[in-house]
Amino acid sequence: MTDPSHRWIVDKKDKLDFFISFVKDQYESGKHILYTIKDTTRSDRQNNAMHLWFRQIANELNDAGYYVRHPFSDKLEIPFTEVLVKETLYKPVIGAMHSKSSTAKLTPAQLSEAAEVLIRWLSEHKGVYVPFPQQLKDQLK
């Protein structure tokens, strides 16, 4: 089954014109569509690069012998995953630095600043160095 949703980033005049035309066409054809407007803080490519970075951190932590302890048993060792890195390592940094609980609410500059803090801490305290993917660094400038 395909996803029936549409996503638009309107950041240029031609995209605005195309979006307006799309909405008019949908209305004139009798379709009832709920439109939600939200601010965009990063592109899909930036989001994908950020999650690639989380996966790379997870792999490096696992390779270095680190793991997450289960809350009910110290003997249960859970390997790091992309989600665990994001939730247990990165989100506390963005909360402390920017009072935000969601990566989606970060500006590109805030995302980069928090990433540099985590990179430095992991390197200094755990001997694990995973730089931000260059493609994301370039896009956040």
Side-chain angles (χ1 to χ4, degrees):
M1 181 174 194
T2 59
D3 182 4
S5 65
H6 299 274
R7 294 176 57 176
W8 302 82
I9 295 179
V10 179
D11 57 356
K12 295 181 179 153
K13 173 86 168 88
D14 61 326
K15 290 181 181 180
L16 172 64
D17 294 340
F18 194 70
F19 176 69
I20 291 170
S21 175
F22 172 80
V23 171
K24 283 182 179 178
D25 289 346
Q26 296 302 303
Y27 176 79
E28 289 170 359
S29 70
K31 292 187 179 178
H32 300 271
I33 297 178
L34 169 66
Y35 296 96
T36 302
I37 307 295
K38 75 174 202 164
D39 289 334
T40 179
T41 54
R42 63 178 175 262
S43 70
D44 286 341
R45 286 184 64 190
Q46 289 169 330
N47 192 59
N48 292 341
M50 185 177 67
H51 284 271
L52 167 64
W53 179 61
F54 293 148
R55 284 191 303 278
Q56 291 171 338
I57 291 172
N59 290 337
E60 290 296 319
L61 288 169
N62 291 333
D63 289 349
Y66 294 105
Y67 53 87
V68 178
R69 292 198 188 275
H70 191 278
F72 299 134
S73 172
D74 285 344
K75 294 180 182 185
L76 181 56
E77 299 173 353
I78 303 169
F80 275 95
T81 64
E82 169 185 340
V83 172
L84 280 171
V85 168
K86 181 179 181 180
E87 297 298 324
T88 64
L89 301 180
Y90 191 68
K91 281 191 174 182
V93 174
I94 67 172
M97 290 181 69
H98 303 294
S99 300
K100 297 196 177 170
S101 60
S102 170
T103 59
K105 295 179 181 177
L106 294 173
T107 66
Q110 291 170 332
L111 190 149
S112 183
E113 291 166 2
E116 292 301 323
V117 167
L118 182 57
I119 291 166
R120 185 174 52 253
W121 189 89
L122 286 170
S123 179
E124 292 173 359
H125 297 275
K126 299 298 177 188
V128 172
Y129 176 68
V130 183
F132 226 34
Q134 188 60 45
Q135 65 196 48
L136 185 54
K137 272 185 171 178
D138 294 343
Q139 293 171 11
L140 294 176
K141 290 181 181 177

